[in-house]
Each structure stands twice: as C-alpha cells, then as structure tokens.
Amino acid sequence: MNLENRLRISREQFGIKVGINQFVVALAGNPNVGKSTIFNKLTGLHQHTGNWPGKTIQSAQGSFSYRGQSFLLVDLPGTYSLLAHTPEEEIARDFICFGQPDATMVVLDATCLERNLNLALQVIEITPNVMVCVNLMDEAHKKKIHIDIPVLEQELGVPVVAASARNGEGISDIRATLYRLITKECITMPRQIKYSSDVENAIQQLLPELSHLNTFSLSPRWLALRLLDSDMRFLENIISYINMGTEDSREVGYSV
Ligand SMILES: Nc1nc2c(ncn2[C@@H]2O[C@H](COP(=O)(O)OP(=O)(O)OP(=O)(O)O)[C@@H](O)[C@H]2O)c(=O)[nH]1
Ligand SMILES: [Mg+2]
C-alpha cells in the first residue's frame, strides 16, 4: 500500500473525505472552551454534520480557504486528556493519533489555563504540527487574568493565538497562523516533557526495541510512553494503525 492510500484509508476510517490539495485540521480542546464557536466562525455555511462512523456521537466537518489554500476543519468532541475515559475522548484521541491531520489546533480556556494546558502538552507530545488558541480572553479580562501570549508561545514551542471567538476576535489570526503552520512558514519546536528518571530510563530501554518498527506519524518516544501506560485497548489500536499496509512500511516515518 503506498503512502497516499494509507493516508486516505486512515482518514476514511473517521469518515473524513478530503479534497485535492486540501489540508486537514483537527480542532481539539477541553469541553466548553469554544471549539464549535471557532469552527462556525471559520467555516460559516461550508460545513456538514453527521455521526462518527459506528458511533452515535455527532461529528462536524467544514471547509474554508485562505490565500488560495483550502482547509478541512474537523470539530472534535471535548476532551480533558488523551488518556481517554469516555467514547467522546476516544474519538478525539484516535483522530489526533491515527486520522493523520495535517495540523491540530488546541483550544484553551483563558480563565483556567493550567487545567487546559494538560491537553496541549499531550498533543504536542504526539505531533509537532500544532497551534494553540487561547480563547475566552474576554472572560479572562473580566476576571483580571493576564496571559502573556509570547511567553506561552516560547514555553510551548508552538504558535499561540489569543481569541474571543464569540465576538469574532482572533479569528483572522487563527486563519493566518494555520496557513503559516501548514506551509511550514513557521517551524515549531514543541516542548518535550521530561519525566522522572525512572520513567526516562524505561523509555531509553524501550526505544531500541521499537527501532525496527516504522511508526509512521507516531513518535517512538510517545509510543514508549504508551507502552508504559499499558492501556491495552489503545495499544491494540496503535498496533493495527502501524500494521496497516506493512509491505512498504520503511518508506517514511520516524526513526529512533
Ligand atoms: N464569553 C465568551 N464566550 C464564548 C467564547 N467562545 C465561545 N463562547 C461560549 O462558550 C459556550 C461554549 O462554546 P462551544 O463553542 O459550544 O464550546 P465547545 O468547546 O465546542 O464545547 P463542547 O463541544 O461541548 O466541548 C457557548 O455558550 C459560546 O457562546 C468567547 O470567546 N467568549
Ligand atoms: Mg463543540
């Protein structure tokens, strides 16, 4: 199976039909942070809703163009963590991990950044193609919470945009930042979380064992961490993702 087919099949499993030269952007975030508001502002009437394949959970996809480039935006269910506990969280996690989005935008609630950053850190552990949107800035302002966007950007190593999506503020910044991310005009350097020395040692022991695998879009370090989690259900999903089209599996992907 060539890479193009692999990409198509990965996405079709999630009911995503991508146009020619269209980039796929996953919209992730904790529940109630304004993901759908941003989705609606960006895509307007160019959207359709349905269900995630095999689930009764609603899905929404929509498109928009910016500087001649078409984007397909996928509004994911709210999730606190990628260590999924609910069917909604499983969908969000599986799409980010296996749906092969070209970019993921993590939306954060400016009024409770600390809790929200957990998800952002988990996502940047999986993929470097990430931007962060700190939404509800109007609410933060009312609560006299000040957020230093450039410092946050520096700390995370990915672009960060402030927004008050309900008022339409920050939407044009989001468009421009997604474009820069997709066209590689901006290169991200996501912060890698350092774990305790026991965990780091365990990772180092596992990495050589993983070196014979082509893990495609999944980083071996992230994979080692998931092995340490021992979430068997998720590990099964990871294995079937890696095994999809094994015949030319050395074509591309992470190397350890
Ligand atoms: N004040 C304020 N309210 C906002 C902003 N963005 C969204 N909201 C409101 O926040 C509520 C939740 O917004 P949604 O867009 O549904 O949030 P969501 O993240 O899609 O929620 P789930 O899909 O349930 O996880 C709605 O009442 C929005 O109108 C904002 O920037 N400022
Ligand atoms: Mg929503």
Side-chain angles (χ1 to χ4, degrees):
M1 186 193 294
N2 68 27
L3 276 173
E4 216 167 280
N5 278 343
R6 194 175 201 283
L7 193 63
R8 183 177 49 76
I9 290 170
S10 302
R11 286 167 171 176
E12 275 179 7
Q13 282 178 342
F14 294 93
I16 306 294
K17 291 231 164 56
V18 188
I20 296 165
N21 295 330
Q22 193 173 41
F23 284 112
V24 177
V25 178
L27 195 49
N30 287 188
N32 228 26
V33 294
K35 296 178 296 297
S36 299
T37 307
I38 293 172
F39 175 82
N40 288 329
K41 295 273 181 195
L42 285 170
T43 61
L45 295 173
H46 303 279
Q47 49 176 266
H48 73 267
T49 54
N51 276 354
W52 291 93
K55 313 266 177 179
T56 51
I57 299 162
Q58 215 198 23
S59 74
Q61 299 170 31
S63 63
F64 70 93
S65 287
Y66 180 76
R67 291 172 69 181
Q69 176 60 58
S70 177
F71 294 83
L72 181 72
L73 206 55
V74 181
D75 190 14
L76 296 175
T79 178
Y80 288 109
S81 157
L82 293 184
L83 308 172
H85 298 299
T86 65
E88 285 83 358
E89 290 190 334
E90 253 179 46
I91 287 173
R93 177 199 67 190
D94 287 353
F95 187 72
I96 294 168
C97 296
F98 315 126
Q100 305 207 20
D102 295 293
T104 299
M105 173 160 65
V106 186
V107 183
L108 310 181
D109 178 346
T111 66
C112 44
L113 210 50
E114 193 174 344
R115 188 185 68 191
N116 280 235
L117 275 169
N118 181 35
L119 181 70
L121 290 169
Q122 289 182 347
V123 174
I124 63 177
E125 219 168 29
I126 298 176
T127 163
N129 303 322
V130 180
M131 70 164 282
V132 165
C133 168
V134 184
N135 191 38
L136 292 136
M137 287 296 276
D138 54 332
E139 293 296 326
H141 187 69
K142 275 187 215 155
K143 293 184 176 170
K144 306 214 180 317
I145 298 170
H146 174 75
I147 292 165
D148 193 331
I149 298 291
V151 168
L152 192 56
E153 195 165 74
Q154 212 176 336
E155 289 292 326
L156 293 174
V158 302
V160 180
V161 164
S164 300
R166 198 161 66 180
N167 314 325
E169 284 164 33
I171 300 297
S172 52
D173 277 354
I174 292 173
R175 273 193 209 98
T177 306
L178 279 175
Y179 181 86
R180 286 195 297 122
L181 192 63
I182 290 283
T183 55
K184 311 276 181 217
E185 252 177 62
C186 89
I187 305 294
T188 60
M189 301 247 288
R191 164 182 283 242
Q192 290 298 305
I193 305 294
K194 251 202 155 329
Y195 294 91
S196 68
S197 56
D198 284 352
V199 175
E200 289 295 337
N201 287 340
I203 294 171
Q204 290 313 314
Q205 282 178 42
L206 283 168
L207 283 178
E209 303 295 327
L210 296 171
S211 62
H212 64 284
L213 285 176
N214 185 328
T215 55
F216 292 94
S217 53
L218 304 175
S219 102
R221 180 181 164 85
W222 178 83
L223 211 51
L225 283 163
R226 299 298 70 83
L227 284 168
L228 294 173
D229 287 341
S230 309
D231 176 345
M232 290 317 290
R233 210 176 126 143
F234 189 33
L235 285 174
E236 277 166 24
N237 290 356
I238 292 173
I239 290 164
S240 46
Y241 170 78
I242 288 175
N243 282 343
M244 195 198 312
T246 41
E247 60 270 29
D248 53 5
S249 62
R250 287 223 153 257
E251 241 173 276
V252 77
Y254 277 96
S255 54
V256 187

